[in-house]
Amino acid sequence: MAGHGGSRAQDAGDSTWAQELLDHLRPTGRDIRRLVAWLGETVHGTASLHDDAGTLVAGPRIPLDESLVADIRVGRIASAASADGGGHVRLLRVEHPNPAAAGVLAVARPAPFDRRTSDILTHTAQVLELLIRARETTAADRRLKRATSDLRLAILQLLMVEDTVAARRVAAGLWPGLLDTDTACVYVLEGDAAERDRLAEECLGVTGGRALVVRCPAMDGHVILVTAADASGEALRSLVDRNPGTLLGGSAHQSLAQTAAAYGQAVSALAVARVRPDRAAVYPERTHPERLMDPAALRAWTARLLRPLDTLPHHTRAELLATTRLGLEFTAVSAAKVLGVSRNTVRARMERVEALLRTDFTDLAVRATVHLALSTQVSLADGQEGERCDRADARQAGTRLGDLLHGPALEAWARELLGRLDSDARDLRRTLRSWIAAGGNAERAAQALAVHAQTVREHVRSAEPVLERRLLASGSDLYEVVLAHLASGELDPPVLPWDDPGQPDAPVHG
């Protein structure tokens, strides 16, 4: 017995266990399961940890007195001990940031608990409480960041569907003044997808809270920013300078209702940024075809073209218009991710608009024409303003698409734009015209031209830098080039039933 007493005295003075216990608090050692296993081994027994529901969190299951466990869990007692022929058991309450979620630490060993093992058990419970608190704090911080990120995405989605009132209302609670602006720019930062979270945090830092920073739901490597502060552009350029491999594309100033169009401009500018030494570009201010059309005639024509949707409930009409705008600007998959719906939902809504307008979106000329009407509709004060103009001005009410396209200013713009292709000996102009007529399908265009489909793709790709517009991706750039072909007479305007001012208002089954 004296030998055993000497051993216990030596153990009591041994501080090795204390150092080992502290090691579990190091950033690389914070593992609750490993700590519980260490405890069992150090006291020459078995240890386990149970949560507030009695679920085993760490260690093997130990037979316990459930009444004692229940008393500790609810706080009636802080600790308990029991012994029988099989050994000795100690139970300790492990506090949780939520008092109702306290756990129970149980240790069983063949020998009685002496001072050393009691100290180890008590101090281990304290370390467990620290680790649990740190874990819960980290988890809460992660949940807060995720919730904040989701909220930013929700605000962007509201802006994308032109619901600026709701977007401002949501933003005002957390970021007062962020959207207190009539116009803003959209920037898209492109980088390594694995680095996106870090880049997003840097964007928040360099913009000083003056920008809506969103991890793009459609492109894993993109961070989207909406900001009215001119200084944000320079701050983002400095961020690009510090991060090799990143690109920055920016839009022109747009109204908040035109956020979707501004986003398209920023993505388009990324293509230019890829070939620039500073890896940054802003969408150029240039003449857009709709600005060369008679504004009153354009509004009246737009109202008449979209009139089949006017019989729908307001929220349904707004939903269909917003989805179709994005679906024409981007792919159905990307539009779905931006809106937070399924791609089948996007396709179903666009098919419904096709049916209401009695047209076919596989025709590029139709897509460009409807895109023109939808873009014009965004600038109206509400969905009925164009209709009021239509009713008020009988002269404008008779405007057809052909009338809009044949103004001298628009025709001159179209000739200048397409004329840039004439210097290429490959006849890019002919290829591009055939490709558009084939609905953007390289195989069908190749058959019409008696060339290989890859040749068609190469010609279209070669036309992009000449025209300074993206063509192989859907969006405003492509539709402008399509409208140029219609305005120059190189392609015939599409036949749209509701474009005819003499067309009777047939019943709409939406």
Side-chain angles (χ1 to χ4, degrees):
M1 294 297 293
H4 290 294
S7 176
R8 286 196 298 270
Q10 182 179 1
D11 288 344
D14 185 3
S15 62
T16 302
W17 67 266
Q19 184 58 51
E20 291 177 355
L21 181 58
L22 288 175
D23 287 341
H24 287 277
L25 286 172
R26 298 181 185 276
T28 56
R30 295 174 183 174
D31 187 316
I32 289 176
R33 289 184 176 85
R34 191 166 62 183
L35 175 57
V36 171
W38 171 87
L39 172 61
E41 180 182 348
T42 303
V43 300
H44 308 297
T46 303
S48 64
L49 177 66
H50 302 256
D51 66 13
D52 59 303
T55 303
L56 186 65
V57 175
R61 190 168 294 280
I62 302 172
L64 302 173
D65 185 331
E66 292 302 325
S67 62
L68 287 177
V69 171
D71 286 342
I72 292 175
R73 189 179 298 132
V74 300
R76 292 193 185 96
I77 55 177
S79 64
S82 64
D84 55 28
H88 300 262
V89 177
R90 290 283 299 273
L91 304 173
L92 268 74
R93 178 180 171 89
V94 178
E95 297 293 346
H96 189 278
N98 177 6
V104 177
L105 176 63
V107 178
R109 65 193 301 262
F113 284 82
D114 54 20
R115 180 177 177 181
R116 173 181 179 272
T117 52
S118 296
D119 285 347
I120 293 173
L121 178 57
T122 301
H123 285 87
T124 301
Q126 293 170 348
V127 171
L128 274 173
E129 290 174 355
L130 291 174
L131 293 185
I132 290 172
R133 183 175 297 276
R135 184 186 64 183
E136 291 300 310
T137 300
T138 301
D141 184 58
R142 190 180 300 116
R143 288 193 297 270
L144 178 60
K145 286 184 176 180
R146 186 182 303 117
T148 303
S149 178
D150 290 345
L151 187 57
R152 289 193 181 101
L153 175 57
I155 294 169
L156 178 66
Q157 289 171 337
L158 289 169
L159 292 175
M160 286 289 195
V161 296
E162 298 101 45
D163 195 347
T164 57
V165 174
R168 285 191 177 105
R169 186 180 300 121
V170 173
L174 289 177
W175 303 286
L178 180 65
L179 297 181
D180 290 349
T181 178
D182 294 326
T183 64
C185 292
V186 173
Y187 291 93
V188 175
L189 184 72
E190 179 179 282
D192 186 346
E195 294 290 314
R196 183 168 70 163
D197 286 349
R198 180 184 63 78
L199 288 174
E201 290 300 320
E202 282 199 51
C203 288
L204 287 168
V206 299
T207 58
R210 297 186 302 274
L212 177 69
V213 180
V214 179
R215 293 160 178 80
C216 178
M219 300 295 293
D220 291 339
H222 286 186
V223 178
I224 303 170
L225 300 96
V226 181
T227 178
D230 293 335
S232 295
E234 289 304 316
L236 292 171
R237 286 175 185 271
S238 68
L239 190 152
V240 170
D241 292 339
R242 297 194 303 272
N243 290 273
T246 57
L247 302 170
L248 179 67
S251 74
H253 272 280
Q254 299 279 5
S255 69
L256 283 182
Q258 292 274 18
T259 298
Y263 171 59
Q265 290 181 354
V267 172
S268 180
L270 278 177
V272 179
R274 288 188 178 89
V275 299
R276 292 189 52 165
D278 60 354
R279 307 192 309 279
V282 173
Y283 189 78
E285 283 287 359
R286 64 193 186 205
T287 302
H288 299 287
E290 63 270 22
R291 296 179 183 175
L292 301 175
M293 301 175 185
D294 181 279
L298 180 58
R299 288 196 299 268
W301 171 82
T302 294
R304 188 176 65 251
L305 187 72
L306 301 179
R307 186 176 296 154
L309 282 74
D310 291 347
T311 59
L312 300 174
H314 176 73
H315 72 279
T316 302
R317 181 179 186 273
E319 183 178 74
L320 292 180
L321 288 174
T323 302
T324 303
R325 270 190 289 273
L326 285 175
L328 292 176
E329 193 73 36
F330 312 107
T331 65
V333 173
S334 295
K337 290 179 178 178
V338 170
L339 290 172
V341 299
S342 72
R343 60 184 176 182
N344 289 336
T345 298
V346 171
R347 289 176 178 139
R349 291 174 183 174
M350 293 184 69
E351 287 170 2
R352 188 175 181 187
V353 173
E354 278 183 294
L356 289 168
L357 299 184
R358 304 210 307 257
T359 190
D360 180 8
F361 285 164
T362 62
D363 185 327
L364 266 181
V366 169
R367 290 173 70 91
T369 303
V370 174
H371 183 269
L372 171 65
L374 294 176
S375 298
T376 303
Q377 191 269 346
V378 171
S379 65
L380 304 179
D382 59 45
Q384 305 304 316
E385 182 176 330
E387 185 175 350
R388 289 196 298 270
C389 291
D390 190 12
R391 291 172 176 171
D393 193 334
R395 179 177 60 83
Q396 301 295 0
T399 302
R400 296 171 180 260
L401 175 62
D403 300 326
L404 292 173
L405 294 173
H406 289 155
L410 187 64
E411 290 176 352
W413 166 83
R415 286 194 300 270
E416 187 280 327
L417 179 65
L418 300 180
R420 301 177 193 176
L421 300 171
D422 293 340
S423 60
D424 196 300
R426 293 172 294 176
D427 202 353
L428 300 183
R429 191 164 179 169
R430 174 172 174 261
T431 303
L432 184 56
R433 180 172 62 249
S434 299
W435 178 75
I436 291 173
N441 186 289
E443 285 74 18
R444 290 204 302 269
Q447 291 177 357
L449 294 168
V451 297
H452 196 279
Q454 187 58 33
T455 301
V456 173
R457 295 187 187 96
E458 290 175 356
H459 283 196
V460 175
R461 192 174 290 109
S462 297
E464 289 185 322
V466 178
L467 299 177
E468 298 179 336
R469 286 164 175 81
R470 293 189 312 153
L471 302 176
L472 292 173
S474 292
S476 301
D477 283 4
L478 172 60
Y479 300 141
E480 285 188 5
V481 174
V482 174
L483 290 177
H485 280 81
L486 302 181
S488 66
E490 296 197 27
L491 290 174
D492 293 330
V495 177
L496 300 172
W498 295 99
D499 182 42
D500 184 355
Q503 171 73 38
D505 287 356
V508 177
H509 302 288

